[in-house]
Amino acid sequence: MSYIRFRKHYLQIPYLVLAVLEFAVLLGIFVVLAVAYPFAGGQAAPEDVYSSVLFAGILSLGTLAMGGYTGIVQETVAQLYFRTLVAYCFLGGIGLMLVYAFLPDLDPGSTNLFWAILLCSFAVIMLRRSFSALVDSEKLVRRVVIFGSGDYAAWMLAEYDRNMRALGVRILGCVSDSASPVVSADRLITAPADFYQYCRQNRISEIVVLQQERRKAEGGWLPVPELMECKLRGVAVTNGIDFYERELKKVKLDLVHPSWIVFSEGFQASRRQQWTKRIVDLTLGLFLLIITLPFMVFTAIAILLETGRPIIYSQTRVGLLGREFRIFKFRSMRQDAEKDGKAQWASANDSRVTRVGAFIRNTRLDELPQIYNVIRGDMSIVGPRPERPEFVSELREKIPYYDTRHYVRPGLMGWAQLKYPYGASVEDARGKLEYDLYYSKNRSLLMDFLIMIQTAEVVLLGKGVR
């Protein structure tokens, strides 16, 4: 098993190991430098140890913020260098300077800090390249077989070819459950006479059951005794929707059915969790309001100078339990962006966006007035993005289970924003809903924290902006 589930969130064990190794490398390099070049030119002091832990912790958070523990196997060498330098030299450097401003006794000095970050960047890049080769090694990959050969199995193979190869998964093929399979012949596996022996001989660690219900009427079959034996003898047997959710951190809409929502673990939060989340939202909302106030003032002045008033505009959005509320944003489009009164999806290179508007959209400064919505309780810091009523009416008709996202308070940032580009069509809304369903099912304060940290990558790289 190469993953653990903590607070309802799936964590890949290899990446946890990588995080521990990186922390140890960062800590070790800083300790060596602190001993060789003491802070004040004297003997190494206890403060050196505290500063070492602080240094390693902040740089590790920088790596997490840049998605360094989710995309490392998929990135090129150039992307690896870029991600590491941004995480350490930019995010880590800013974080350390802010901390040292309040804790000057832990400041090792600019020279020591420069060499520490430089050496750590080089060491971690080498470590990650070795890790990538190791995780991709055939000796460590998880070998999986799909039981099923219909349309669902076919798109699972397509998803595997696009994404899962980089996650240390090898799908060997599909065992046909029908006389008329959809999966191509080269990906089919002849049904073994003894499933357990087949798994043992081929080092199969998991069987994913991915049948389509309509196949039952066409002679489909399910070898329940054989699958029971495999599970009882240590081979994992997983249904398709759970496998998809675990590996890709989203829920495949085509596989969702009401009984899965009713009986699966998740889709609920206790009153204590709800109150805790509200307290966290209120605290962080007030804190963000204070530290972003100067940015809001400059943004307001820039909008006023370029296109005049109004500086802030509001829209009706659909929130918790379908209740409508007014959301506030800095205006990034011309005043006549919707002069005909009809709601329009934003498009790439939208001509309605002003020059200031393009900048504040890329940096997410246009979203800052929504902190007021968070403090008021209309929104949360983390949650599905609220949509306009005009679009909701259309989407609930065209997308199954669309209303499930309205059982969670909408958020300033969210899982779908991290994982999916800007939504500007019904198909995009469907793709985002798969991530929103995953968040709704598995939400926790830990997941909220991870989303908040990783949102830094979205802001810095301008992901999902139109």
Side-chain angles (χ1 to χ4, degrees), residues 44-232:
E47 287 79 6
D48 296 2
V49 177
Y50 303 146
S51 187
S52 301
V53 174
L54 185 67
F55 172 84
I58 289 179
L59 290 194
S60 295
L61 284 176
T63 303
L64 179 63
M66 287 301 297
Y69 299 122
T70 56
I72 182 172
V73 182
Q74 296 169 295
E75 62 190 358
T76 64
V77 175
Q79 290 171 327
L80 171 60
Y81 276 84
F82 174 75
R83 189 189 296 270
T84 304
L85 291 176
V86 172
Y88 287 2
C89 299
F90 184 72
L91 290 179
I94 291 176
L96 288 168
M97 285 191 295
L98 290 174
V99 170
Y100 294 151
F102 292 96
L103 301 171
D105 291 342
L106 300 182
D107 189 348
S110 57
T111 302
N112 286 357
L113 191 60
F114 170 79
W115 285 111
I117 291 180
L118 188 65
L119 287 173
C120 286
S121 299
F122 176 78
V124 165
I125 287 172
M126 294 301 103
L127 174 63
R128 287 177 170 232
R129 294 192 66 179
S130 301
F131 172 82
S132 297
L134 185 63
V135 168
D136 205 37
S137 167
E138 289 298 324
K139 293 182 179 179
L140 292 183
V141 297
R142 288 173 289 133
R143 297 164 68 84
V144 175
V145 164
I146 293 177
F147 185 83
S149 56
D151 291 326
Y152 292 165
W155 61 244
M156 180 68 84
L157 288 175
E159 194 71 70
Y160 160 70
D161 290 335
R162 285 193 298 268
N163 298 305
M164 292 187 199
R165 284 180 182 272
L167 298 174
V169 176
R170 291 292 180 272
I171 296 181
L172 302 189
C174 301
V175 177
S176 181
D177 63 333
S178 171
S180 54
V182 175
V183 174
S184 60
D186 62 312
R187 309 298 286 270
L188 288 176
I189 297 172
T190 303
D194 188 322
F195 265 86
Y196 174 71
Q197 288 303 322
Y198 174 82
C199 292
R200 184 179 177 185
Q201 291 167 8
N202 292 277
R203 297 186 293 113
I204 305 298
S205 61
E206 187 169 13
I207 301 171
V208 178
V209 180
L210 198 56
Q211 288 185 301
Q212 290 182 237
E213 292 182 1
R214 65 182 181 87
R215 293 291 184 192
K216 295 177 183 179
E218 300 174 8
W221 62 288
L222 181 65
V224 175
E226 290 87 343
L227 293 177
M228 285 178 58
E229 180 185 11
C230 289
K231 184 166 186 176
L232 292 172

Side-chain angles (χ1 to χ4, degrees), residues 9-10 44 58 63 99 130 202 214-216 255 267 281 298 323 356-357 371 429 460:
H9 192 61
Y10 292 104
I58 289 179
T63 303
V99 170
S130 301
N202 292 277
R214 65 182 181 87
R215 293 291 184 192
K216 295 177 183 179
L255 296 178
F267 292 109
D281 286 339
F298 287 130
R323 300 189 190 103
V356 170
I371 295 173
L460 287 175

Side-chain angles (χ1 to χ4, degrees), residues 287-401:
F287 175 73
L288 287 174
L289 181 63
I290 293 171
I291 65 172
T292 61
L293 192 57
F295 298 100
M296 286 197 258
V297 172
F298 287 130
T299 300
I301 293 173
I303 295 171
L304 185 62
L305 291 177
E306 184 187 30
T307 54
R309 298 183 179 182
I311 295 171
I312 291 177
Y313 79 101
S314 65
Q315 283 181 339
T316 301
R317 297 291 175 99
V318 178
L320 184 66
L321 301 178
R323 300 189 190 103
E324 295 184 1
F325 69 98
R326 301 294 293 181
I327 196 174
F328 299 94
K329 300 178 74 172
F330 281 119
R331 182 172 57 80
S332 58
M333 291 186 175
R334 303 190 311 263
Q335 289 94 331
D336 62 347
E338 291 183 351
K339 57 186 177 182
D340 58 357
K342 183 179 179 181
Q344 301 178 40
W345 293 103
S347 59
N349 303 315
D350 199 316
S351 60
R352 298 174 297 166
V353 178
T354 65
R355 285 178 298 175
V356 170
F359 175 77
I360 64 177
R361 278 177 168 237
N362 275 291
T363 55
R364 297 303 198 279
L365 290 171
D366 64 321
E367 309 280 358
L368 291 181
Q370 292 168 40
I371 295 173
Y372 171 71
N373 290 112
V374 173
I375 294 172
R376 227 174 70 164
D378 299 324
M379 297 173 61
S380 176
I381 294 292
V382 178
R385 287 296 293 167
E387 196 51 85
R388 300 175 70 173
E390 300 91 333
F391 296 146
V392 169
S393 299
E394 177 186 5
L395 295 172
R396 62 161 53 107
E397 291 179 2
K398 297 181 178 180
I399 303 176
Y401 307 105

